[in-house]
Amino acid sequence: MAQLIWNGVFVGSFYALVALGYSMVYGIMKLLNFAHGDIYMLGAFTGFAVLGAVGGVSPGMALPVLLGVLVVTMGVTGLSGVVLERVAYRPLRGAPRLSLLITAVGASFALEYGMRAAAGADPRVYPLRLGGTSVEVLGARVTLQQIALIIVAVVLMAALNVLVIRTREGRAMRAIALDPRTAALMGINVNAVISRTFFLGSALAGAAGVMAGAYYGKIDFLMGFLIGLKAFTSAVIGGIGNITGTMLGGLLLGLLESFGTYWLGGEWRDVFAFGVLILFLTVRPTGLLGERVTERV
């Protein structure tokens, strides 16, 4: 039981980190950015390139080097998110919602197959792999590397939560989410705030991509597709647009997958996860902490 809980929390922390970008963008623009999972993939390949440039890393320096690569990757993927918003989404800001949705799907394919053209179709082995011996904690086998990755994920999520709740930038984000026209009349630069929102969400997804590559040891150009769907599921479970709910949704999905795999078998893992998504959309479409929103005309 303890091992199942630990496995679920570990995987759920990755889901939550990626899902926050989905939730932030939807909360402000009411846009389902299906290209967000591919920003995660871009982060993994960016980390791969940076580590390749750095060269061999001794086992004792693996974690410090990974943290440095994490910072660089977050900057690259954050800027990539800003470019994506500026090129693909901003020109269609006043267009019907379906046009934005189709554009998001197209952007996803462009990122996936652009990376395939640049890096090739074959999976790549990550230059740095976080291994290590495991220890038993309350009946669960854990490694220090797993604990370190969870701590990094929690710090990033906590920092984002503080920014949204307690800073002027966060108040601007929440004002735009409530009413962008009124926010603009009050002197808020709506375009700039939306760009910074894309930067933050994309930076978190890039960080998750690097950590996943270093932990699992293999990356490929399609790795963002499934994690994107899982992140969307996490956001729906917790309440898309709600930061705290999204974090909770990611952890809950990780736990559900862990227990579902144990009960039904590994081949049913994704079926179980998306079955939960359908259940939530049917029974509680606003999620655990989401609120029903009335559209403004």
Side-chain angles (χ1 to χ4, degrees), residues 17-281:
L17 205 55
V18 181
L20 284 170
Y22 258 120
S23 196
M24 290 171 64
V25 169
Y26 183 84
I28 288 183
M29 294 179 60
K30 300 299 181 286
L31 164 67
L32 294 175
N33 180 19
F34 286 119
H36 187 68
D38 297 296
I39 296 292
Y40 163 91
M41 175 271 297
L42 179 62
F45 274 92
T46 301
F48 177 88
V50 174
L51 285 169
V54 169
V57 179
S58 63
M61 292 296 294
L63 195 56
V65 169
L66 183 65
L67 292 176
V69 172
L70 205 67
V71 173
V72 174
T73 300
M74 289 175 71
V76 172
T77 55
L79 291 174
S80 300
V82 172
V83 172
L84 178 66
E85 186 275 331
R86 183 66 183 86
V87 173
Y89 300 144
R90 189 179 298 182
L92 297 174
R93 184 101 29 99
R97 195 76 54 82
L98 183 60
S99 299
L100 278 168
L101 189 63
I102 293 171
T103 301
V105 175
S108 173
F109 284 125
L111 286 171
E112 287 174 5
Y113 288 94
M115 185 57 69
R116 184 185 187 279
D122 296 331
R124 299 295 187 94
V125 177
Y126 227 62
L128 185 151
R129 180 75 185 273
L130 289 178
T133 57
S134 60
V135 295
E136 187 167 334
V137 178
L138 300 176
R141 303 295 296 181
V142 305
T143 66
L144 294 178
Q145 287 77 10
Q146 286 178 320
I147 295 173
L149 291 179
I150 285 185
I151 290 174
V152 171
V154 169
V155 168
L156 290 174
M157 288 187 284
L160 176 67
N161 195 52
V162 169
L163 184 146
V164 171
I165 300 299
R166 299 184 180 275
T167 67
R168 183 176 181 179
E169 181 71 15
R171 288 194 293 272
M173 290 179 183
R174 286 181 281 135
I176 294 172
L178 288 173
D179 193 331
R181 294 179 183 175
T182 302
L185 291 174
M186 297 299 291
I188 296 174
N189 188 332
V190 174
N191 286 334
V193 172
I194 289 177
S195 291
R196 289 193 288 269
T197 301
F198 268 85
F199 180 91
L200 290 171
S202 299
L204 293 178
V210 172
M211 291 191 290
Y215 182 75
Y216 294 109
K218 187 181 75 170
I219 60 174
D220 63 83
F221 74 100
L222 289 175
M223 65 184 288
F225 175 74
L226 189 59
I227 193 70
L229 292 178
K230 296 290 183 69
F232 173 65
T233 303
S234 302
V236 170
I237 289 174
I240 192 165
N242 185 299
I243 299 296
T244 304
T246 299
M247 297 179 197
L248 178 62
L251 293 176
L252 182 58
L253 180 61
L255 290 169
L256 288 170
E257 278 194 1
S258 179
F259 281 91
T261 300
Y262 176 75
W263 291 329
L264 303 176
E267 66 273 16
W268 291 94
R269 175 181 177 179
D270 296 334
V271 175
F272 187 79
F274 295 122
V276 171
L277 172 62
I278 294 171
L279 179 64
F280 266 86
L281 288 173

